[in-house]
Amino acid sequence: MMLLKVFLTQLTGVYKKIEQEEQDNIEDAARLLAQALTAKGQVYIHGFKEMEGIVAQAISGPEPLKGLKKLYSGQYMVQVQQRDRAIIFARSATEKEAVSLAESLRGQHISFVAVSQGVKPEEEGKPNLVELADVHIDIKAARGLVPNEDGTRSGIPTLAAALFAYQGIIMAVDEILREYEEE
């Protein structure tokens, strides 16, 4: 049970880092997504690999955002308009499929938010989400949180950290939309 306590302490640290260092980006992301919703557009969401969990939460969870839809229908990207926005989730900022999608959205002049790990020093110069996205949020989950006896680490909280960032964005979007409706 001690390992769970270590994991909890370290995970809380990751959340605090996101809250402290990514607050402005989370607010910028919320504004960008809210623009689409106030202009009667859609917000499209996509997650790669384990990040599909966020799409499930966003679409089928207890608090779905009105106007949020999946970016893909089967294996095909849906038709996105310029007033629409997208948010994509990936483990790494240099994940090939995510970068390819980001380049496609950029080419269509679709503004989008990317949520992923930041660019590691050894990835500098590679195409990445940090440079391609209108707003990028770093999930601060680069390594396992719990040290093992052999010197390795386990418990990499990519999905948990990304979901934390997602919740922050959505709460901010809700706040913006409430203010907009009051005007």
Side-chain angles (χ1 to χ4, degrees):
M1 273 323 199
M2 198 60 202
L3 291 178
L4 198 54
K5 193 169 195 71
V6 170
F7 184 70
L8 175 62
T9 302
Q10 295 296 323
L11 184 58
T12 302
V14 169
Y15 290 161
K16 280 191 172 132
K17 228 175 173 173
I18 292 169
E19 186 264 330
Q20 290 164 354
E21 298 174 20
E22 298 299 313
Q23 185 71 45
D24 291 345
N25 291 336
I26 287 171
E27 288 170 12
D28 290 347
R31 276 192 287 279
L32 188 75
L33 301 181
Q35 282 173 359
L37 299 172
T38 56
K40 304 284 182 262
Q42 305 290 326
V43 172
Y44 291 96
I45 186 170
H46 188 71
F48 292 92
K49 299 178 181 159
E50 74 270 25
M51 299 300 180
E52 286 181 23
I54 293 172
V55 177
Q57 172 79 24
I59 301 289
S60 307
E63 300 176 298
L65 181 67
K66 215 167 81 183
L68 186 73
K69 292 190 160 69
K70 288 183 180 181
L71 184 58
Y72 282 83
S73 176
Q75 65 191 61
Y76 298 103
M77 189 155 93
V78 299
Q79 193 67 48
V80 183
Q81 310 298 318
Q82 281 195 323
R83 69 174 179 221
D84 298 330
R85 302 289 181 262
I87 182 168
I88 60 178
F89 294 85
R91 181 185 313 158
S92 155
T94 56
E95 204 166 299
K96 280 188 175 39
E97 297 91 347
V99 168
S100 175
L101 173 57
E103 288 169 339
S104 170
L105 290 169
R106 249 233 180 295
Q108 296 174 64
H109 306 290
I110 305 298
S111 296
F112 70 97
V113 174
V115 180
S116 72
Q117 187 57 42
V119 178
K120 296 175 183 150
E122 65 270 17
E123 297 172 331
E124 288 290 338
K126 284 185 179 175
N128 65 72
L129 298 176
V130 178
E131 291 172 5
L132 290 165
D134 293 86
V135 181
H136 179 266
I137 295 162
D138 185 338
I139 58 172
K140 313 286 184 192
R143 61 192 185 121
L145 300 181
V146 180
N148 298 319
E149 287 178 18
D150 64 0
T152 61
R153 300 178 77 84
S154 54
I156 306 170
T158 52
L159 181 59
L163 188 56
F164 180 77
Y166 167 78
Q167 293 288 2
I169 294 165
I170 294 311
M171 287 188 284
V173 167
D174 282 342
E175 194 177 333
I176 291 166
L177 294 178
R178 274 196 304 276
E179 288 169 9
Y180 177 80
E181 285 164 10
E182 287 168 9
E183 287 174 9

